[in-house]
Amino acid sequence: METETETNLSLQEKVNGNDVVVVVEEGGDIFKRFTNENISVSDDSSPISNSNGHAENAVVFDNNIKDDRVISAPEEKKSKVEDSMKEIPSDSKVVDSKKINGGDYIRIVIPHSQLPKPEAPPGLSTPPPPQRSISLPDENKPWIGNYLRERSNNFSAAIAKKLSSFKENNDRDVSWLSVMKPEEAVTQINISGMKVIVKMKSESENEKEVVKGRISFFSRSKCRDCTAVRTFFRQKGLRFVEINIDVYREREKELIERTGGSSQVPQIFFNDKLFGGLVALNSLRNSGGFDHRLREMLGRKCSSDAPAAPVYGFDDQDQEEEKKDEMVDIIRFLRQRLPIQDRLMKMKIVKNCFSGSEMVEVLIQHLDCGRKKAIEIGKQLSKKHFIHHVFGENEFEDGNNFYRFLEHETNIQSCYNFRGSTNDNEPKAAALVGQRLAKIMSAILESYASNDGSHVDYGSITRSEEFRRYVNLAQDVHRLNLHVLTADEKLAFFLNLHNAMVIHAIIRIGHPEGVMDRKAFFSDFQYIVGGYAYSINTIKNGILRNNHKNNLLVLVIIKQNGWQLTAEKVNPLIHFGLCNGTKSSPRVRFFTSQGVEAELRSAAREFFQNGGMDVNLEKRTVYLSRIIKWFNADFGQEKQILKWMISYLDATKAGLLTHLMDDGGPINIVYQNYDWSPNS
């Protein structure tokens, strides 16, 4: 009878009780052990237990008896086993193993060295599970280190053995890879508390290995053809460099030079070779020659003549547009010469201020001009938001009226687009800054958000060059003249500024967790805009909703600006264009001043289509977003809301809602729970 020491030793780890039973398979050679209740099996065989809990084809030995006397076995088996024990060669060894879990010794018979070794049955498709041997602890080393080292070695050996078996089986059996798609060719290996998944490389991953060069393409924001090119490369799993000339405007000259005079986008480059636009891409893709052309053109490393990836820098065009304000020298002189002090005014301490008469006297001496000229200069400085009246009562007057520099205003230094000083350059046109803001933020979404805009990768935005340039752009709104904006330009400007500030706030201070965090998030995160500090709430409720009843800061801003910035009539569609960074919020988007109304209507239709509204005809219930309830003052009464939203619903929902409203029966309105978790 042959035994296998390695097999028995590996099974000793599974014995938890003191009673150890040695089992001999009928006609087999390998010892197996089981406790009083459970049988431990190292291969696929399964002994059949009788009513006593023992295998019927087993011979049982008592480990408390120091010899190998049979104490329990079927009568017809005893003689065979005793005979086989007698036939053990004389030079075979009987070895006592170590105690297991406090139990007694187990006697193990080691076979003669010249006896044949056991072989795996023919046709076995998978090797037996990896065996583990007992490793006695080293008294000179920490037991934790030994344990981790042993587990690591066993884990690595098991994976290597399993993977090698796949290769051997692939030569004998029908290849399972030939009948499966690459993305489906996944094998799972289960190893004692671990799970390893082996996945075959997909075609796109193989292409990455072939592609040694670089794919580049020039684009613009909100360009459908550019979106199609970007989507195609992502679906193919190809890495590419996108150069958005709305973000990197200095690169437009390079595009014109490379294309021979055209600034049309998209323009795709394989290394330094111009491939063409979307038409060329579709033609090659439809003919099936894209992969061949790709390998042909990108089989070598990219040369220095290829379009370079965008790097840290400043836009040359922006620097050319920066003009020094004619009042800059005067205001810098006043900052140094005026006596800035805390004053008592109207029973209040007013900090960091100066009087109008003090500024007039300094101007007369510095410019050698008359008093009337000095007063006129003071009014120009106030109009350009270099200085403000401490209570917002007037622009500038001579006498005992107190004023402050913009950087000394309350909350200005805590604004997140303030970098130690205000922007003293000549303010750019507000409409131009608004367009630039929309384009750069749209480019950020196209690169770092899902295709539908519902999921935003804030981490990637934080590290991007596009966002760094946006932060630079945010300083251009410090002293903008917003009064010159048309109604549509003003609407688009503040919608876009609100959404951009939400993204900036999530990046800088994190997504709010609870009610108090949300209140601080929307009220404390502020920008300097047109000479005043605007929070996210100020823009939404004070400017876009013209709701200033409970907001003293909005009252001050409105009073200073002569009510010219607030909306004359609230447009309820704004609520579908404002994103607050949550899952139940409308998706983030940015608007153009030329098409803001149409874009808002599209946003409303998308919001209602994607869960913002639903109808249950049997229950006669309409399910609405909680946004409708929170801002019902903007939408009207419930019946008016239902009638208003019909024009923004798809045909199915509109038909169901119309049926409920026309049959004269009651309609239940249920407001859905709001999901405040981040849209990341």
Side-chain angles (χ1 to χ4, degrees):
M1 179 177 61
E2 297 178 358
T3 60
E4 187 173 319
T5 305
E6 182 67 18
T7 301
N8 285 310
L9 289 177
S10 67
L11 290 173
Q12 290 176 16
E13 295 180 334
K14 300 180 181 179
V15 179
N16 298 320
N18 294 329
D19 295 332
V20 179
V21 181
V22 180
V23 181
V24 182
E25 278 190 333
E26 182 179 6
D29 299 321
I30 302 176
F31 279 115
K32 301 179 183 178
R33 298 188 309 279
F34 58 90
T35 61
N36 292 338
E37 297 180 358
N38 299 318
I39 299 176
S40 299
V41 183
S42 63
D43 59 14
D44 294 332
S45 61
S46 300
I48 303 175
S49 299
N50 57 19
S51 59
N52 297 325
H54 300 304
E56 294 183 356
N57 61 340
V59 178
V60 183
F61 296 90
D62 187 355
N63 62 318
N64 294 317
I65 300 175
K66 299 308 177 181
D67 57 12
D68 293 327
R69 178 168 52 86
V70 176
I71 63 171
S72 176
E75 293 295 329
E76 62 272 19
K77 304 292 182 181
K78 286 185 179 180
S79 59
K80 295 182 179 179
V81 173
E82 291 173 346
D83 293 339
S84 62
M85 294 291 291
K86 296 176 182 179
E87 294 174 1
I88 296 177
S90 58
D91 57 351
S92 295
K93 297 180 181 179
V94 178
V95 181
D96 284 339
S97 65
K98 299 295 182 179
K99 284 189 175 182
I100 305 302
N101 297 330
D104 295 325
Y105 288 96
I106 301 173
R107 298 175 62 83
I108 300 174
V109 181
I110 300 178
H112 191 278
S113 59
Q114 296 183 357
L115 289 176
K117 302 298 180 182
E119 297 180 358
L124 185 65
S125 58
T126 57
Q131 302 296 330
R132 298 171 51 197
S133 59
I134 293 178
S135 177
L136 298 178
D138 187 348
E139 296 179 355
N140 298 325
K141 297 181 180 179
W143 68 271
I144 295 180
N146 291 333
Y147 173 77
L148 294 177
R149 190 178 301 106
E150 180 183 351
R151 292 288 294 175
S152 176
N153 294 337
N154 292 340
F155 179 64
S156 301
I159 293 179
K161 188 172 183 180
K162 195 71 176 179
L163 293 177
S164 63
S165 69
F166 293 151
K167 184 176 180 181
E168 295 173 359
N169 294 337
N170 192 42
D171 297 333
R172 294 197 303 263
D173 304 329
V174 177
S175 175
W176 50 274
L177 294 177
S178 62
V179 295
M180 299 179 70
K181 297 179 181 179
E183 62 270 17
E184 297 174 346
V186 179
T187 298
Q188 179 174 316
I189 308 173
N190 293 315
I191 302 176
S192 184
M194 307 289 291
K195 182 171 76 173
V196 181
I197 298 178
V198 181
K199 183 176 181 180
M200 299 301 297
K201 288 186 177 180
S202 62
E203 182 179 352
S204 60
E205 291 173 332
N206 290 330
E207 287 176 359
K208 291 179 184 178
E209 296 180 354
V210 176
V211 175
K212 297 180 180 179
R214 182 169 66 230
I215 302 173
S216 311
F217 85 95
F218 288 83
S219 66
R220 289 186 183 273
S221 300
K222 292 191 173 183
C223 171
R224 292 185 178 181
D225 289 355
C226 297
T227 300
V229 171
R230 187 184 306 110
T231 302
F232 172 77
F233 287 150
R234 286 176 177 174
Q235 290 175 348
K236 293 285 290 183
L238 296 171
R239 296 181 180 179
F240 60 91
V241 172
E242 182 174 354
I243 306 167
N244 189 313
I245 58 178
D246 286 331
V247 178
Y248 311 104
R249 294 187 292 167
E250 73 278 9
R251 304 292 295 272
E252 186 172 1
K253 295 179 180 178
E254 176 188 348
L255 173 62
I256 294 174
E257 293 175 357
R258 288 181 177 276
T259 57
S262 174
S263 61
Q264 184 179 358
V265 293
Q267 293 295 339
I268 305 168
F269 287 81
F270 289 169
N271 288 338
D272 57 341
K273 303 297 183 182
L274 175 61
F275 174 77
L278 180 62
V279 175
L281 181 62
N282 285 334
S283 176
L284 201 60
R285 178 181 57 180
N286 295 335
S287 65
F290 176 80
D291 294 339
H292 175 73
R293 183 73 176 275
L294 183 69
R295 294 185 179 91
E296 181 182 72
M297 299 188 70
L298 297 179
R300 55 186 177 84
K301 291 184 178 180
C302 185
S303 66
S304 58
D305 295 332
V311 294
Y312 179 92
F314 294 90
D315 195 324
D316 295 336
Q317 293 189 19
D318 285 343
Q319 294 180 7
E320 292 174 2
E321 292 175 4
E322 298 289 355
K323 297 179 180 179
K324 186 178 179 180
D325 195 297
E326 59 184 357
M327 296 291 180
V328 168
D329 292 336
I330 296 175
I331 200 68
R332 290 176 178 172
F333 178 80
L334 292 174
R335 285 169 177 160
Q336 296 176 359
R337 297 295 300 272
L338 281 176
I340 300 174
Q341 302 174 359
D342 296 344
R343 318 285 178 111
L344 180 63
M345 184 177 181
K346 296 182 179 181
M347 303 300 294
K348 295 181 179 180
I349 299 294
V350 182
K351 294 183 175 296
N352 300 323
C353 60
F354 54 88
S355 68
S357 58
E358 290 172 339
M359 192 177 82
V360 170
E361 293 294 337
V362 171
L363 288 174
I364 291 173
Q365 295 179 8
H366 176 63
L367 300 176
D368 192 17
C369 64
R371 198 167 196 87
K372 185 177 181 180
K373 177 68 173 176
I375 294 174
E376 183 63 27
I377 291 174
K379 289 182 178 180
Q380 292 182 31
L381 292 175
S382 177
K383 187 176 182 179
K384 290 188 174 184
H385 300 294
F386 284 113
I387 62 173
H388 285 156
H389 190 277
V390 291
F391 296 129
E393 294 178 351
N394 56 61
E395 290 186 356
F396 181 79
E397 292 180 359
D398 191 5
N400 198 29
N401 296 292
F402 293 97
Y403 301 87
R404 274 190 295 236
F405 291 111
L406 175 59
E407 57 268 27
H408 293 156
E409 288 281 353
T410 305
N411 298 330
I412 289 296
Q413 294 191 11
S414 62
C415 290
Y416 283 83
N417 65 337
F418 179 83
R419 293 185 172 181
S421 63
T422 55
N423 187 346
D424 290 340
N425 291 319
E426 180 71 24
K428 300 173 184 176
L432 180 64
V433 173
Q435 292 174 7
R436 180 101 168 94
L437 184 149
K439 288 180 178 179
I440 195 170
M441 291 306 297
S442 295
I444 288 175
L445 286 185
E446 290 167 352
S447 297
Y448 307 108
S450 59
N451 291 335
D452 60 358
S454 58
H455 300 283
V456 181
D457 186 355
Y458 294 102
S460 296
I461 293 176
T462 305
R463 300 184 293 270
S464 69
E465 173 64 14
E466 294 95 328
F467 182 71
R468 192 193 66 80
R469 296 198 179 202
Y470 161 76
V471 173
N472 290 336
L473 175 66
Q475 297 178 88
D476 288 345
V477 304
H478 283 185
R479 297 187 301 106
L480 284 181
N481 182 7
L482 301 174
H483 301 290
V484 299
L485 294 174
T486 65
D488 285 347
E489 288 174 343
K490 182 173 59 179
L491 178 60
F493 178 88
F494 282 107
L495 285 171
N496 294 336
L497 186 62
H498 174 281
N499 292 344
M501 288 176 67
V502 168
I503 293 176
H504 193 178
I506 292 175
I507 290 173
R508 287 296 305 272
I509 63 179
H511 195 278
E513 296 294 336
V515 176
M516 298 303 296
D517 286 344
R518 289 196 290 270
K519 184 177 180 180
F521 181 90
F522 295 113
S523 298
D524 295 347
F525 190 89
Q526 299 179 338
Y527 271 9
I528 310 172
V529 185
Y532 300 95
Y534 284 77
S535 68
I536 298 173
N537 266 341
T538 302
I539 294 174
K540 180 176 182 177
N541 297 318
I543 304 300
L544 294 173
R545 297 185 61 233
N546 194 6
N547 183 2
H548 53 274
K549 296 179 181 178
N550 299 318
N551 195 325
L552 296 177
L553 179 59
V554 175
L555 275 174
V556 172
I557 295 174
I558 291 174
K559 188 175 181 179
Q560 288 274 20
N561 288 280
W563 301 82
Q564 297 181 26
L565 292 182
T566 59
E568 296 180 3
K569 183 179 179 181
V570 179
N571 184 350
L573 291 174
I574 63 170
H575 296 289
F576 309 111
L578 296 172
C579 177
N580 58 19
T582 63
K583 289 185 177 179
S584 289
S585 167
R587 75 171 178 88
V588 60
R589 64 177 72 208
F590 295 91
F591 301 87
T592 63
S593 58
Q594 300 84 357
V596 61
E597 284 289 341
E599 291 166 2
L600 281 174
R601 288 194 292 270
S602 175
R605 284 191 290 269
E606 179 185 281
F607 181 76
F608 289 133
Q609 178 67 23
N610 294 330
M613 181 270 184
D614 204 357
V615 181
N616 190 317
L617 193 59
E618 295 180 356
K619 296 182 178 180
R620 302 189 61 80
T621 301
V622 178
Y623 300 91
L624 297 179
S625 168
R626 198 161 289 268
I627 294 174
I628 304 294
K629 182 179 182 180
W630 289 336
F631 303 103
N632 56 9
D634 300 341
F635 291 100
Q637 299 298 322
E638 288 184 341
K639 291 185 178 180
Q640 294 176 335
I641 294 174
L642 297 181
K643 185 177 180 180
W644 170 83
M645 70 171 53
I646 287 179
S647 58
Y648 300 103
L649 303 178
D650 61 79
T652 302
K653 291 182 178 179
L656 293 174
L657 183 57
T658 302
H659 177 75
L660 289 178
M661 297 179 64
D662 291 346
D663 64 7
I667 301 176
N668 300 319
I669 296 181
V670 176
Y671 294 99
Q672 304 165 350
N673 292 330
Y674 196 91
D675 188 351
W676 287 99
S677 56
N679 61 341
S680 55

